[in-house]
Amino acid sequence: MRQSVNTLVPIVRPTLGVVWQLLHTVFRRQTSIPVWGRNIWSAAALSAAVLMLIGVAFWTAYAVGPTQWALPHVVYVPVFVAGIAFGYPGGAAAGLLMGLLLGPSGSWDASVGLPQDTAVWIARTIFYVWIGVMIGILADVASMLYERTVRLREFDPNTGLANGLAFSKALRREVEDGDRHGRLSCLYVDCPTYELVLQWAGPEEAYLLVTELAYALCKAAPPQAVIYQVRGGLFATFLRSTEEGEAVALAQRLVDVNANRFYVAGTSMAIDCYCGVASLPPGSRDVWAVSHHAAAALRLAQQQDNPVVKYEETTDGYEPNAIRILSELHKALASGSGLSLAFHPIIDSATGRCVTVEALVRWTHAVMGPIPPAHFIPVVERTSMIRPLTHWVLTNAVRQCADWARDGLDVAVAVNVSSRDVRAADFPDFVRDTLDRHHLAPGKLELEITETASMSNTEDSMAALTVLADIGIHISIDDFGTGYSSLERLRRLPADRLKIDQSFVRHVVEDADDDCIVRGSVALAHSMGLKTVAEGVESAVIADKLKGIGCDYLQGFHFTPPLPDADLRAWLARNAHPAGAVHPAAA
């Protein structure tokens, strides 16, 4: 054994030199190294591992014996590892090194000391090199496929820009770095013209437009502000700045690209661009907050037709616990725990009697405690979960109203429904089945739909509301005056009540404009054969004013806040007033 090793020394030393040169070449040719071997430290570690494996294989072949087992199995390990780690140059180098180490001066079988044939050694070395090259080529192909997959996942194929997924990852990394390199600002740039071109000229022209726009934005942005294409005509970037106003200045530079002329379907045209800017508060690590704030600023820019809007602390509907709220509410609906109803009386202004109560959902979470409706209702309304929530409220409200009727209480119940509910094909059947199941007359149920919802998807909404009205259910238009009503569509709706929004009612006494709006709404409703309900009545002065205007029904904290069933029963017993003036809540 020692004699064989000594014989190999003159061969091993130059061989190691050749391998070193090969590895040096591999390190310099970064493009030939798979992605997992391009870091210099990982490459050095892999090189050490390969050399160690080669040493183990060499020792095994000469010391363990018989080499008939060691050669065809152990030797492949370093060749495979080198090929995978460094591509075909590394695989070839490892195969050549193993062939030289187990060269003609080595024995074929260490146990008997028989020398091996030179032709066999050469053939075996060529085979090792071939295996290393093949494994390396396969590793390079796998690396290319991996890089292609990453690029398809994180880059837009038309513009070549990194997409929204890549932007989210990059923004998260920047947020985690904190304020060490300046304050972080997030910018969203949107081109509404893209949607118009997509609709009018087709996807091919829209892609060409967005490609031109991407080039213009990249040209306008400084090197440190990388442009990402989130989707379609929506782009994003972020900026580290040390001076106040630097982010807004960048935003202005980006939207100024709309001064360029863009070619669509062979025609030169101008485009519109809007930008929303938001800065990360000092010390904050909330990546989703800064992204949402920038998106909220962008929406405001489009609504105001203002090219650049910087986010300010305003109510924009952002709910940081939205995902958790949806998850927990889903559990609450499935188990029925934590949800309850409160009822807000609606008073007849002529008699002072409670004729209807509005059912309002309340939610008390086991851990988070009572959750205000303003925190979870807007979140739920933006998802399909509003339908099961409405079904739960409607079912329990109808059941409760049926219980009141059996106990001799002559009050109806009103339930808020969303546009998603009204558009559902099975909604009229669900309402009818619920009434039948609890033996409640249709006239004891009122469905309140907001003005905006009643105007959207008119034909579908009209058909569903007409079916419900035909069986005797009352339809009420809620929050009147806050949406965008079409009088022609309003005339066609099968509604019998119109609820004037509280934003006009609360200041009807001192504000001449609100007084005019309320009077006009009451007159309009009466001329169309509708009764009116005023929301937000908070004082006796407002109640008397509304009664004088001719408002039919009143609702507000002047009478009582929303009450659970037991408290409502007691309140009704205390407030069984005779016909006459409107009375406040009893003590």
Side-chain angles (χ1 to χ4, degrees), residues 364-389:
T364 301
H365 191 268
V367 177
M368 295 185 285
I371 302 177
H375 285 191
F376 70 89
I377 292 296
V379 173
V380 177
E381 284 183 332
R382 300 174 67 177
T383 71
S384 60
M385 195 178 293
I386 189 62
R387 291 190 59 198
L389 180 61

Side-chain angles (χ1 to χ4, degrees), residues 143-271:
S143 173
M144 292 171 58
L145 292 176
Y146 175 79
E147 289 182 334
R148 179 178 176 83
T149 302
V150 170
R151 186 164 187 84
L152 289 175
R153 185 178 61 183
E154 298 189 359
F155 288 82
D156 183 84
N158 295 305
T159 63
L161 297 180
N163 60 17
L165 176 62
F167 174 71
S168 298
K169 292 180 178 179
L171 184 62
R172 186 184 300 111
R173 289 193 298 268
E174 289 293 325
V175 169
E176 291 171 353
D177 285 344
D179 303 325
R180 291 177 295 176
H181 307 293
R183 191 175 185 185
L184 179 66
S185 296
C186 176
L187 296 83
Y188 280 117
V189 181
D190 189 32
C191 176
T193 313
Y194 167 80
E195 298 293 340
L196 298 177
V197 173
L198 182 63
Q199 178 181 356
W200 294 339
E204 183 176 355
E205 294 295 335
Y207 294 153
L208 292 176
L209 171 64
V210 83
T211 301
E212 286 188 66
L213 178 59
Y215 174 77
L217 290 173
C218 291
K219 188 177 180 180
Q224 66 271 25
V226 178
I227 301 297
Y228 297 80
Q229 185 184 4
V230 179
R231 55 171 172 78
L234 178 62
F235 297 82
T237 187
F238 51 81
L239 178 71
R240 290 282 184 182
S241 58
T242 56
E243 297 181 6
E244 189 70 24
E246 191 174 346
V248 175
L250 171 60
Q252 190 61 55
R253 288 176 57 185
L254 294 178
V255 298
D256 283 345
V257 301
N258 60 11
N260 300 337
R261 302 295 294 184
F262 294 83
Y263 288 88
V264 177
T267 303
S268 174
M269 66 177 295
I271 65 169

